Amino acid sequence: MKSYRKLAGFTLPELMVSMVIAAIVMGMAVNIYIDMKRQYTRLSAKHEINSNQLMVKQILYNSIGHAGFVTKYGDMYQQLVDNSGDNFGDIFGKMGTITIGKAPLENIQGLPKGLTLSVEACKERKAQQDDLKNININENIRCVQPGSDFLIIQRSSLDSTLKTNSSNNIFKVNEFEKNIIPEKDITMDDYVVLCNASECQLDKIGAVTGDFVSTLRRVGDKFKAGDYVGKYMLEVFYIATSDKKDKNGNSLYSLYEYVKQNFSDSSIYELVSDVSDMKIQYVLNSDIKEGTAQLRWQSLDKAPVKVRSDNIAALKVSFKVANQSTSKIFLVGG
């Protein structure tokens, strides 16, 4: 006689209940994943904004802190004289080691065209870029954000002293860096600044042989052994259009740096993207009253302002990164 063993299994209702529970659990897991991804994206974007804000502040802090020329007389009261022959007088001769102003800065030679053209002229020139490329004029002009402010820094990248008195246009220079002869640090067409107690003069190098330096224009005998000589550098920070666009198709702005220290070599760098609305305010020494925490911050008019520690106590730079506002106070000469 055959015996039959009953097989154990799930009934249809049990399977349906299990599938419903599994679907609920999977739905909860998916929602948790989506929520965590959304939070990660939000925190990642916030972290990127915070990092970019700190980057802009550090860039400006370093530049402001290194402005000027490290002379034994100080560089506050010397007259700045352009002897380069390159029409640098609008910058070196008329501006200070720190200059702030409102963009655009029109009709100034030696600066990026996007910064020196009016808003309308820049847009017109930018629209002609493709036509200009056809005749081998490659100008990638980036127009400044109207109403934003700019910062100009004049400083040295290397510092040394004269080994001999200047005579006509020839003199000897001590090492800029230990055990490195001057001709390894400066070359033909570089700019150098010579300073004595009353004057800082910008000159362009014609030739360097060992520690002998000759300039293209006559220097005379006004500078003596031990006087300052530095390799000149111009830095300009400003807000201009970038190649990136927002979700609505509008062009984004970026923070740019223009660098020039050689007659034939200048460069523009996009430092941080999605930066806009840079505004610079200043407070005068005379407006700081002892015993009060209130500061009278002044905004810029059209005319550029020379920043000197005997007149201006601090700068406040405000800007936006991805439309998030922040600001930083910089002590002048601090």
Side-chain angles (χ1 to χ4, degrees), residues 4-72:
Y4 293 93
R5 195 164 43 178
K6 188 176 181 180
L7 298 176
F10 293 104
T11 64
L12 182 59
E14 288 175 330
L15 286 173
M16 293 180 67
V17 170
S18 299
M19 292 177 64
V20 170
I21 292 173
I24 292 173
V25 171
M26 289 184 63
M28 292 175 61
V30 170
N31 287 334
I32 291 172
Y33 170 76
I34 292 174
D35 185 60
M36 290 185 66
K37 185 176 181 180
R38 187 180 295 117
Q39 289 187 44
Y40 171 80
T41 303
R42 185 165 56 247
L43 290 173
S44 179
K46 184 177 180 181
H47 175 71
E48 183 178 1
I49 291 172
N50 291 339
S51 297
N52 287 344
Q53 288 176 342
L54 289 173
M55 190 184 303
V56 174
K57 292 175 183 178
Q58 191 63 45
I59 289 169
L60 298 181
Y61 174 82
N62 289 339
S63 298
I64 292 172
H66 288 95
F69 313 108
V70 188
T71 79
K72 61 184 177 181

Side-chain angles (χ1 to χ4, degrees), residues 311-327:
N311 186 35
I312 293 177
L315 301 175
K316 181 167 69 173
V317 182
S318 305
F319 57 92
K320 294 179 181 178
V321 174
N323 286 322
Q324 300 296 312
S325 299
T326 187
S327 63

Side-chain angles (χ1 to χ4, degrees), residues 190-255:
D190 278 348
Y191 294 113
V192 292
V193 175
L194 303 174
C195 293
N196 56 28
S198 60
E199 179 180 307
C200 281
Q201 179 174 285
L202 182 71
D203 289 282
K204 186 167 69 172
I205 292 177
V208 185
T209 305
D211 57 358
F212 276 97
V213 176
S214 64
T215 57
L216 289 180
R217 303 186 77 179
R218 187 175 184 276
V219 174
D221 59 358
K222 65 177 70 174
F223 299 102
K224 309 300 180 184
D227 280 348
Y228 173 84
V229 56
K231 185 176 181 180
Y232 176 80
M233 176 180 285
L234 171 69
E235 295 179 298
V236 185
F237 299 91
Y238 62 101
I239 304 295
T241 54
S242 71
D243 295 327
K244 303 177 182 65
K245 297 184 182 296
D246 62 17
K247 59 184 180 181
N248 297 318
N250 299 316
S251 295
L252 294 175
Y253 292 101
S254 294
L255 174 66

Side-chain angles (χ1 to χ4, degrees), residues 268-279:
I268 299 176
Y269 303 97
E270 183 181 6
L271 300 179
V272 185
S273 62
D274 205 0
V275 180
S276 61
D277 301 305
M278 185 165 75
K279 302 290 184 183

